[in-house]
Amino acid sequence: LCLTAVAPRVGAQVLLGDQTIEPSVDSNAVGQAEAFQVTASLTGSVGSLTVYLDTTSAATTLYIGLYADNGGHPGALLTQGSSSTLNKAAWNTIQVPAANVVVGTRYWVAILGTAGGKPAFRDRISGSCSSEGSSQSNLQQLPASWTTGAQYTDCPLSAYGTASVAATPVLSVSPLSVSLTATVGGSDPLPFTLAVNNTGTGTLN
């Protein structure tokens, strides 16, 4: 008896942002947020935001969020998430409450370090978009409505948003194979246990 269970995984789809590790190292003071322009390349629901942290980053808690555009500036906060498990010289993915985006529409990805030291990230000097700091310098999380401070031409930020992945059931069978032998006039084989479980996040019928 041979059993095989195969469950395809659906890769997360990038809806907006920059997946390139840009050449310029940038940073902000603790409590100072900075937002970077992005344009959605697909329509969908953003479920996570990923940012590249430079090897010099000293932040121990980081917030990342997505803002709607308001006349060329960040407007209302659409979603945000935070993490205190951060990796330097690596992409860091932070789950956020789902936020819908529309292809061709401008948004802003904002980051904020609230503990440890300055968050160091990557962007591009004099890029094709713009960025701006928050007027507040003592933030403990991203504000619900953005207030513009200093404006820059450092953009894009090495950060992107991916679509929420629908819950998917995963059929798991253990053991994956069982060998049964029988001989003429012999005895019945010993009983065995076959475990069939759903190890995914969706409902398995």
Side-chain angles (χ1 to χ4, degrees):
L1 175 64
C2 184
L3 301 173
T4 303
V6 178
R9 293 285 188 175
V10 179
Q13 193 172 42
V14 175
L15 301 179
L16 50 76
D18 180 15
Q19 294 178 273
T20 301
I21 301 175
E22 297 294 346
S24 177
V25 179
D26 203 348
S27 65
N28 293 319
V30 174
Q32 178 81 46
E34 186 172 355
F36 298 78
Q37 285 181 343
V38 293
T39 300
S41 55
L42 293 170
T43 295
S45 179
V46 174
S48 65
L49 293 167
T50 300
V51 62
Y52 185 88
L53 293 180
D54 188 70
T55 186
T56 60
S57 183
T60 56
T61 301
L62 186 80
Y63 281 79
I64 187 167
L66 185 68
Y67 282 87
D69 183 76
N70 181 22
H73 300 279
L77 180 65
L78 300 177
T79 189
Q80 71 172 314
S82 66
S83 177
S84 297
T85 305
L86 303 172
N87 298 307
K88 300 178 183 180
W91 293 97
N92 291 259
T93 298
I94 298 175
Q95 301 301 313
V96 297
N100 294 328
V101 296
V102 178
V103 62
T105 302
R106 178 184 293 169
Y107 299 90
W108 296 75
V109 173
I111 58 172
L112 166 70
T114 60
K118 292 182 177 181
F121 44 88
R122 296 292 192 93
D123 56 27
R124 191 186 312 166
I125 296 175
S126 299
S128 58
C129 49
S130 62
S131 61
E132 56 183 64
S134 61
S135 62
Q136 305 100 313
S137 58
N138 59 348
L139 295 169
Q140 293 301 310
Q141 62 180 4
L142 291 170
S145 296
W146 188 268
T147 305
T148 299
Q151 300 182 54
Y152 310 101
T153 59
D154 299 340
C155 189
L157 170 70
S158 294
Y160 58 90
T162 51
S164 302
V165 179
T168 304
V170 178
L171 176 65
S172 296
V173 181
S174 179
L176 287 179
S177 63
V178 177
S179 297
L180 301 177
T181 59
T183 58
V184 176
S187 59
D188 292 335
L190 295 174
F192 65 90
T193 299
L194 181 66
V196 180
N197 295 298
N198 176 15
T199 57
T201 56
T203 300
L204 180 65
N205 296 318

